[in-house]
């Protein structure tokens, strides 16, 4: 351990919803000695990176926002990405945590020093600081995945990922190919079609699309929420109750989802008269198996003359376009990959060494897993936000993140309360928890619905989502069960107690 390195109580990695929320809650809990390490030059995480045309939240924003920072001024029930970005910027200022963020600082690894009971954090490959506790808010969807398609690198036109949109490339009058029909693609396709591009959509699997119950939130309603916050709380509670209901169906009673399929089919029929096109767009798996996508403009966009749907599959990318599996060549000027994200790489690319030098890569070689989605045996004083099996297929990820933030603070409080220097989950507790997760998983539509999705790893195991309603996840993280943890006595004096915001 290099003694001259700056020492902190807490280091938070990332400044998206997770890292920023942790910073705010840490501050509210009375922790002053913390630092937020952010590789980019702006905060906002996924909402900073994703600015493709039409980008917005597909969960109503009164719920997809911090419980401790309601915003009465959302312009729509489903906010657009720039509004969410502005909201996060405002939160950083209102809660006075911006000065804690070190921008342009990429964490590349961390090493647990058992003697000092501290993490030595590496920035750009070099030890840069030490900290008693680390919270990782890396963001599950922060590393774009390009498709593994022959010839992609030979494409001579403009090529970019939905999460790395190049606004310098003009699209009007251009031939634009979009690979993928997931949550991002279905938002951007209508916008680029409207902007006058000739769009070719390469669909591998059709998604289920339901009506988007969006509406503007006008001035009088905003003023009501500003003057009477309880009114907005009631709206939040209503949205929460509805999304929890969907969550229960997804995780326990997948057959009920057939009702949603009737709704989605009617939605498609209203927009698309062509029977053949409807057949191409109708999924052959249960609704909810992949993310349910709300949109009112995706189907109408596919019915436009300047949009073509290709379902033959992709044989290869050529310098001038895409050759489909049926031999047809689609000439293109621009190729957009709406092909999702690398999930496990978010954690695996880091050089994290825990107790006895074990690396995270080795610990997770059989598959990524954590105790209550947050802590990892062998890696003391570390909490992950949006870790394994903490995603939600139906409700707000911000709600899940807040539950984990509370848990991370509880862990820090236990450290201080017990005058301990290190806390980590017992291997048996972690194994039991994950056995329970996978048992519960068997009932979910994600395994029973007859689809393949990014929720599943290469062995077909769902290590991304929580197999229950989000309120049950929240309850399971209200307090730390000490029997599940190993506490090591502190070798150094432990400072003041941490208050945990209610
Ligand atoms: P995604 O849901 O993973 O969709 C990727 C799409 O690319 C799928 O249609 C997939 O087809 C296709 N694809 C991937 N590799 C391909 C290949 N080699 N050849 C042909 N097609 C290929 O990615 P995403 O749309 O970026 O969304 C990812 C997640 O981000 C979402 O599930 C959601 O959690 C989040 N998101 C949220 C919002 C929001 O509003 N809150 C908005 C956007 C994204 P298959 O289906 O056949 O695999």
């Amino acid at each position: 351990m290099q003694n001259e390195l700056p020492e902190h109580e807490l280091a938070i990695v990332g400044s998206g919803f997770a890292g920023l929320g942790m910073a705010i809650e840490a501050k509210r809990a009375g922790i002053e000695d913390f630092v937020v390490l952010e590789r980019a030059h702006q905060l906002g995480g996924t909402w900073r990176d994703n600015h493709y045309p039409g980008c917005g939240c597909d969960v109503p924003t009164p719920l997809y926002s911090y419980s401790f920072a309601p915003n009465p001024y959302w312009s729509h029930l489903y906010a657009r990405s720039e509004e969410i970005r502005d909201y996060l910027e405002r939160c950083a200022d209102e809660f006075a945590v911006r000065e804690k963020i070190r921008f342009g600082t990429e964490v590349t690894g961390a090493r647990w020093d058992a003697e000092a009971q501290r993490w030595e954090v590496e920035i750009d490959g070099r030890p840069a600081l030490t900290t008693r506790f680390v919270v990782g808010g890396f963001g599950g969807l922060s590393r774009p995945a390009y498709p593994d398609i022959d010839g992609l690198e030979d494409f001579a036109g403009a090529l970019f990922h939905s999460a790395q949109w190049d606004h310098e490339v003009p699209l009007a009058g251009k031939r634009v190919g979009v690979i993928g029909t997931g949550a991002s693609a279905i938002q951007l396709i209508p916008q680029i079609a409207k902007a006058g591009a000739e769009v070719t959509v390469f669909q591998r699997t059709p998604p289920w699309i339901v009506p988007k119950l969006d509406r503007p939130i006008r001035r009088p309603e905003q003023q009501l929420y500003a003057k009477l916050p309880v009114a907005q709380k009631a709206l939040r509670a209503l949205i929460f109750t509805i999304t929890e209901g969907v969550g229960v169906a997804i995780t326990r009673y997948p057959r009920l989802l057939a009702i949603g399929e009737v709704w989605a089919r009617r939605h498609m029929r209203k927009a698309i008269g062509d029977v053949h096109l409807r057949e191409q767009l109708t999924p052959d798996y249960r609704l909810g198996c992949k993310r349910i996508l709300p949109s009112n403009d995706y189907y109408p966009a596919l019915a436009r003359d300047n949009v073509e749907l290709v379902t033959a599959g992709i044989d290869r990318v050529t310098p001038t376009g895409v050759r489909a599996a049926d031999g047809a060549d689609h000439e293109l000027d621009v190729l957009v990959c709406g092909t999702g994200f690398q999930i496990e790489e978010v954690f695996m690319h880091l050089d994290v060494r825990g107790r006895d030098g074990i690396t995270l890569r080795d610990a997770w070689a059989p598959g990524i897993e954590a105790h209550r989605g947050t802590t990892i045996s062998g890696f003391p004083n570390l909490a992950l936000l949006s870790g394994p099996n903490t995603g939600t297929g139906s409700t707000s990820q911000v709600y899940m993140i807040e539950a984990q933030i509370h848990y991370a603070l509880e862990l820090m409080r236990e450290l201080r309360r017990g005058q301990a220097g290190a806390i980590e989950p017992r291997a048996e507790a972690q194994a039991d928890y994950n056995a329970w997760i996978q048992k519960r998983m068997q009932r979910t539509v994600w395994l029973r619905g007859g689809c393949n999705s990014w929720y599943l790893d290469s062995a077909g195991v769902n290590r991304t989502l929580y197999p229950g309603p989000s309120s049950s996840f929240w309850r399971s993280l209200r307090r730390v069960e000490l029997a599940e943890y190993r506490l090591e006595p502190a070798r150094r004096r432990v400072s003041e107690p941490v208050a945990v915001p209610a």
Side-chain angles (χ1 to χ4, degrees), residues 335-354:
L335 185 55
V336 175
C337 298
T339 41
F341 298 86
Q342 305 170 44
I343 304 305
E344 299 188 359
E345 266 309 292
V346 167
F347 308 106
M348 296 301 213
H349 82 284
L350 297 167
D351 181 19
V352 180
R353 289 166 193 272

Side-chain angles (χ1 to χ4, degrees), residues 396-439:
S396 165
Q397 191 59 28
V398 181
Y399 178 88
M400 306 294 272
I401 286 170
E402 278 195 54
Q404 291 188 282
I405 290 173
H406 173 89
Y407 193 68
L409 286 169
E410 285 284 335
L411 286 163
M412 292 182 76
R413 192 164 70 165
E414 286 305 340
L415 265 184
R416 292 172 185 234
R417 187 188 283 149
Q419 290 294 299
I423 185 166
E424 71 168 272
R426 295 180 183 280
E428 322 78 76
Q430 183 174 316
D432 287 352
Y433 176 77
N434 283 282
W436 175 81
I437 285 277
Q438 292 307 331
K439 187 161 174 251

Side-chain angles (χ1 to χ4, degrees), residues 44-68:
T46 190
W47 295 105
R48 172 199 61 226
D49 295 341
N50 283 271
H51 40 73
Y52 54 79
C55 183
C57 190
D58 62 11
V59 176
T61 343
L63 182 61
Y64 191 91
S65 44
Y66 296 126
S67 61
F68 52 80

